Amino acid sequence: MDASDRGNVAGSAYRRWWRRLLRRPRPADLDPARSDLEVVVAGFDEVESCAAALERGAAGSPTWREADPAVFRHHLCLPPDRVEEACALAAQDGYAAAVAASPAAEPVVALPGEVAVVLQRVQRLDPLHCAQERSRMAGLAQRHDGRLVGWDALQPPAGD
C-alpha cells in the first residue's frame, strides 16, 4: 500500500466515524395495524391550518406527541375507476391504502359515484410537512376527479 492508498483508507475511516457520531437514532417503527392506536389530531376543516390543528391536538386528550411517529392518514373520496391509479401514485411517496378498520376522527361520507379511500404512512408530524402533505393529497384527489375530505393522525397511548 503506497501513501496515497493510506490517505484514502484513513479518509474513509474518518468519514465513517463522523457518520456514526452524527447519525440520529432511528425511532422504532410504528406498525399502522396496531390495535391500540388512537386518533390524536385531525383536520377535517379545510380552512383550519395544520399548525392550529396540531396545536389543538397537543392540548387535547389523547395528546398528540410531536416527537413520536404517527400514522398520518388522508381521507379521500374518489371515483371507483380512479382508486387504483391514485393509490399507485401515492405509493411512490410511501403511502398505502388502509386495509384494517381503524378509529376515525370523523365519518367520511362518499357521494354517489365515489368511494371512500384512506391513504396512510408513518411519519413524524410538524406543521410544515403536514401542510405540504395535505396539499399534495388535495392535488392527487383533484387530478383523479375526487376530493380530499380531511386528515388525521394516530399514535399509541402515551408510554407505549
Side-chain angles (χ1 to χ4, degrees):
M1 186 181 314
D2 66 9
S4 65
D5 290 335
R6 280 191 297 268
N8 288 338
V9 170
S12 65
Y14 181 73
R15 283 190 296 277
R16 281 193 308 271
W17 179 81
W18 269 107
R19 272 190 238 127
R20 276 195 313 268
L21 182 66
L22 297 175
R23 184 180 306 147
R24 292 186 203 171
R26 287 199 64 201
D29 288 336
L30 178 61
D31 181 3
R34 284 179 62 162
S35 62
D36 63 340
L37 295 177
E38 51 194 8
V39 176
V40 292
V41 62
F44 283 84
D45 180 353
E46 63 185 44
V47 297
E48 181 184 40
S49 71
C50 287
L54 292 172
E55 189 174 302
R56 182 173 32 80
S61 179
T63 302
W64 165 66
R65 298 172 311 278
E66 182 175 5
D68 296 343
V71 178
F72 191 27
R73 303 187 308 180
H74 300 275
H75 300 265
L76 297 86
C77 288
L78 301 168
D81 62 333
R82 305 298 300 271
V83 171
E84 189 175 328
E85 181 184 349
C87 289
L89 193 57
Q92 294 175 6
D93 291 320
Y95 284 96
V99 178
S102 297
E106 290 192 20
V108 175
V109 178
L111 300 174
E114 291 181 333
V115 176
V117 177
V118 178
L119 296 173
Q120 65 184 19
R121 75 176 180 190
V122 175
Q123 70 177 72
R124 283 203 174 91
L125 288 179
D126 62 66
L128 174 64
H129 292 102
C130 182
Q132 287 174 335
E133 292 305 310
R134 181 173 81 169
S135 177
R136 178 179 292 167
M137 288 296 154
L140 175 78
Q142 189 175 39
R143 285 190 308 277
H144 291 87
D145 301 322
R147 59 193 171 94
L148 175 66
V149 179
W151 61 270
D152 57 16
L154 294 86
Q155 290 179 320
D160 281 359

